[in-house]
Amino acid sequence: MFRQTIVSYSRHTGCYIRSARAVASRGRRLAIVAHPCYHRPQPQRQLIHTSPIELTASPAIHRLNAVEEKEPTPVSVEDGPIGEYKRLVQAGQFIDDSFQRLIVSRLDRLYRELLDYTPANPPMDASKTLGGVGYLRKLFGRGNGDQGKMPEDTPRGLYIYGDVGTGKTTTMDLFYDTIPTTHKRRIHFHAFMLDVHSRINTFKRTHRAADDPVPTIARELAAQAYVLCFDEFQVTDIADAMVLRRLVTELFRNGVVVVTTSNRHPDELYKNGIQRESFMPCIELLKQRCEVVSLDSGTDYRKIARETETVYFSPITADTNKVLHALVGLASGNAPVENNVELRFLGRALCVPVAANGVARFSFTQLCKDAHSAADYIELAKHYHTLILTDVPVMSMSNRNEARRFITLIDALYESHAVLIMSSEDDIYNLFTGKCEVDSFRAETAQLTGTVESAHLSEVVTEDKFNALAYAGEEEVFAFQRAVSRLVEMSSRHWIITGRNRILAENAMRQEQSVADDSQMRSAA
């Protein structure tokens, strides 16, 4: 009796199906077991499902009911990294960045190629793992272990390098999340090498000293995942360098596709390392099997967010928005982001567009232009210790309703000792132009009143109406002056340290200690 494995696609389940068929001798029963291999995104459509049918061929073996087989439906553009990137930008989780978009487009190319790719792993060659050339000689490239033909149909991977904080890991993770296969692995490179060394030690305990573990380990890794995503590819010691020299070769030989991030160009890997000339073939192979692309916008927004001593940013620019986006991660401890979270209270609901671990993010339009009351702002301050408010405009008497809501919001945040992080068109002292407008209104109305009275027209601006309008404007001016005073206090380091966001408080305390240490060093000098 033997087993036969068949992989086919089901349009009913949206899955690839791996069928294991046990073929027995004549007169014996036949059993087929089907189970999903991995999901592939399909356009939403109404499907008619039937219930599974259990065969009586064997009491221990069951079979799903038969499904129609056909070629996979072409994947929509919106299913890949580019589509996901656009969705995240629209949801406010990403800031649209031209440098990142370039990398995402390259990752999208790889995504398309992987949709129709399945590695053809060759049978294990015992001559490469047992006897023959010694293990150490192979590691240092003096044996014949590097000979062999590379598969030609393997998609070319991606090697993304650049300065820290530019979004390399973010874009790679986006790619990883969209790949429709379970045969993938995302791991920090340091952790990967620890795993490899652990596998080598295990191999040595169960094999002869002369046996070579690298091909076996490469086959095991390739069988588990043919897409490997490494974060922070770096080589710092000779042990890693000599293992990688052959491991990378064997992984590519087994049809593995590599996507990795690094702070260094491949030519800079293991620079000035011991016996670097033995590692050079690995570098050349990486450049051959991976497209090398740079993601370097020149700005480390995480560093700016971590070291900034202000919580208000103006004017509104692309860089300002990127710093605010980085502050969302800093303030929330890089917690997972949720979209459109509903707060229900008093028979009503408030939708929070972006939320993460006590941090809420709104635009000025969403929170102050839309109709909201003090109850909404109080409830928001109860549930979130940090509010990130973007795109606050300069306000005037013509949009004093928005100004009033903004003032009410500041009062609610102040009373709950919440942290406000804000981007605005101008600094906080110039956000309301009401005082100038009131003065101008007084002068123009007085002139108009005299003209109207002299013409004996019926539509006269009375003194009471004039005083009422002027008073209303002055009330807004006074309220905004109070709001500015509170904003100044809420931007202080003391407010952050004593506030409800412990992550920002600890960051502010570290900054305060750093300032104290610098002052002490200058005094000593």
Side-chain angles (χ1 to χ4, degrees):
M1 176 170 148
F2 63 92
R3 295 177 62 84
Q4 183 180 15
T5 300
I6 302 172
V7 177
S8 58
Y9 181 78
S10 166
R11 68 178 177 87
H12 291 288
T13 61
C15 300
Y16 280 93
I17 301 296
R18 181 187 294 117
S19 302
R21 181 162 57 190
V23 182
S25 60
R26 187 173 183 179
R28 300 289 297 278
R29 297 187 177 215
L30 172 76
I32 299 177
V33 178
H35 54 85
C37 296
Y38 60 86
H39 290 277
R40 179 172 188 156
Q42 296 295 314
Q44 291 187 356
R45 58 184 181 227
Q46 188 173 3
L47 301 176
I48 300 176
H49 295 277
T50 55
S51 301
I53 300 174
E54 181 178 336
L55 292 186
T56 58
S58 169
I61 301 178
H62 303 283
R63 176 181 184 259
L64 296 176
N65 59 299
V67 296
E68 181 181 348
E69 297 178 2
K70 63 178 292 186
E71 288 299 316
T73 304
V75 177
S76 168
V77 174
E78 298 302 316
D79 293 328
I82 289 179
E84 184 64 16
Y85 184 80
K86 290 179 180 178
R87 281 192 290 270
L88 292 171
V89 168
Q90 292 171 358
Q93 296 185 34
F94 278 16
I95 295 296
D96 193 7
D97 183 283
S98 60
F99 296 93
Q100 291 182 4
R101 262 189 284 112
L102 175 63
I103 301 302
V104 171
S105 67
R106 305 292 178 85
L107 291 168
D108 196 81
R109 180 271 305 167
L110 178 57
Y111 167 86
R112 306 288 158 192
E113 295 178 4
L114 285 171
L115 291 177
D116 299 318
Y117 174 68
T118 302
N121 293 325
M124 182 72 73
D125 186 350
S127 66
K128 291 183 180 180
T129 59
L130 300 175
V133 180
Y135 169 52
L136 291 178
R137 290 183 61 195
K138 288 187 176 184
L139 280 183
F140 286 89
R142 290 191 291 271
N144 59 3
D146 288 341
Q147 303 300 317
K149 186 177 180 181
M150 291 285 178
E152 297 179 357
D153 61 341
T154 305
R156 197 177 183 203
L158 217 67
Y159 185 106
I160 309 168
Y161 75 98
D163 288 337
V164 297
T166 53
K168 300 184 300 296
T169 300
T170 300
T171 53
M172 184 186 73
D173 287 346
L174 183 148
F175 164 77
Y176 178 84
D177 291 339
T178 57
I179 307 172
T181 177
T182 57
H183 298 287
K184 59 183 179 179
R185 186 183 185 189
R186 190 270 190 210
I187 188 171
H188 192 278
F189 193 71
H190 179 67
F192 174 76
M193 289 310 300
L194 289 176
D195 177 43
V196 169
H197 286 298
S198 175
R199 290 172 185 255
I200 290 174
N201 291 333
T202 301
F203 183 94
K204 287 180 177 179
R205 288 196 298 268
T206 57
H207 292 73
R208 296 175 301 173
D211 294 346
D212 182 6
V214 174
T216 301
I217 291 172
R219 287 295 299 271
E220 291 175 354
L221 293 170
Q224 294 167 0
Y226 62 82
V227 179
L228 288 178
C229 294
F230 297 129
D231 190 26
E232 300 296 342
F233 193 109
Q234 56 180 329
V235 186
T236 56
D237 60 67
I238 188 171
D240 285 353
M242 294 304 105
V243 170
L244 279 172
R245 181 198 181 283
R246 298 197 56 249
L247 180 63
V248 168
T249 301
E250 293 296 332
L251 288 173
F252 286 138
R253 183 175 291 149
N254 282 277
V256 171
V257 177
V258 171
V259 175
T260 185
T261 70
S262 180
N263 294 332
R264 294 177 176 271
H265 188 281
D267 290 336
E268 299 293 314
L269 290 173
Y270 196 48
K271 192 172 184 179
N272 300 322
I274 299 174
Q275 297 191 22
R276 187 172 187 261
E277 65 279 0
S278 297
F279 186 68
M280 291 303 296
C282 178
I283 293 176
E284 294 304 317
L285 186 59
L286 276 172
K287 293 191 294 184
Q288 177 187 342
R289 309 295 290 192
C290 296
E291 180 183 4
V292 180
V293 291
S294 171
L295 176 53
D296 190 359
S297 63
T299 306
D300 182 358
Y301 296 103
R302 290 183 304 186
K303 185 174 184 290
I304 293 174
R306 190 169 57 250
E307 296 181 356
T308 184
E309 295 188 4
T310 184
V311 288
Y312 307 142
F313 302 87
S314 64
I316 301 169
T317 65
D319 285 348
T320 297
N321 287 331
K322 289 170 185 174
V323 172
L324 254 68
H325 184 72
L327 279 168
V328 174
L330 176 66
S332 65
N334 293 313
V337 174
E338 298 179 88
N339 294 114
N340 301 321
V341 178
E342 273 201 348
L343 293 182
R344 294 195 169 274
F345 59 99
L346 302 176
R348 57 196 297 173
L350 174 63
C351 181
V352 182
V354 179
N357 191 27
V359 178
R361 176 171 175 164
F362 286 84
S363 68
F364 179 86
T365 297
Q366 292 167 330
L367 204 52
C368 297
K369 196 169 184 179
D370 294 346
H372 290 294
S373 67
D376 295 331
Y377 301 141
I378 292 171
E379 193 69 20
L380 184 66
K382 284 181 183 177
H383 285 82
Y384 296 96
H385 52 62
T386 304
L387 173 66
I388 296 182
L389 187 64
T390 65
D391 306 318
V392 178
V394 171
M395 289 161 272
S396 64
M397 291 297 293
S398 62
N399 52 6
R400 60 179 175 270
N401 287 334
E402 290 90 330
R404 286 170 179 166
R405 294 190 190 104
F406 180 73
I407 293 166
T408 304
L409 171 65
I410 300 305
D411 289 342
L413 297 174
Y414 183 85
E415 294 300 327
S416 66
H417 209 117
V419 175
L420 173 65
I421 300 172
M422 180 176 71
S423 67
S424 57
E425 186 178 353
D426 206 338
D427 65 58
I428 59 175
Y429 300 101
N430 298 317
L431 281 181
F432 191 64
T433 61
K435 188 176 187 305
C436 297
E437 288 181 295
V438 169
D439 293 341
S440 177
F441 173 74
R442 283 182 178 277
E444 292 176 5
T445 307
Q447 183 179 2
L448 177 62
T449 302
T451 303
V452 170
E453 288 177 347
S454 64
H456 300 287
L457 297 177
S458 58
E459 295 182 3
V460 175
V461 180
T462 64
E463 184 177 356
D464 289 341
K465 187 176 180 180
F466 166 78
N467 289 333
L469 290 171
Y471 178 76
E474 288 174 349
E475 277 295 296
E476 260 81 39
V477 172
F478 174 78
F480 211 94
Q481 287 174 344
R482 185 188 74 248
V484 169
S485 176
R486 290 188 163 186
L487 284 170
V488 171
E489 182 180 353
M490 292 167 69
S491 68
S492 67
R493 186 177 289 154
H494 176 74
W495 180 274
I496 304 297
I497 290 175
T498 59
R500 293 157 54 198
N501 188 320
R502 300 317 306 159
I503 297 173
L504 291 181
E506 291 172 2
N507 188 66
M509 285 189 284
R510 284 194 295 269
Q511 291 182 5
E512 191 172 66
Q513 184 61 46
S514 177
V515 171
D517 291 344
D518 290 345
S519 177
Q520 187 175 5
M521 290 177 63
R522 285 194 296 268
S523 298

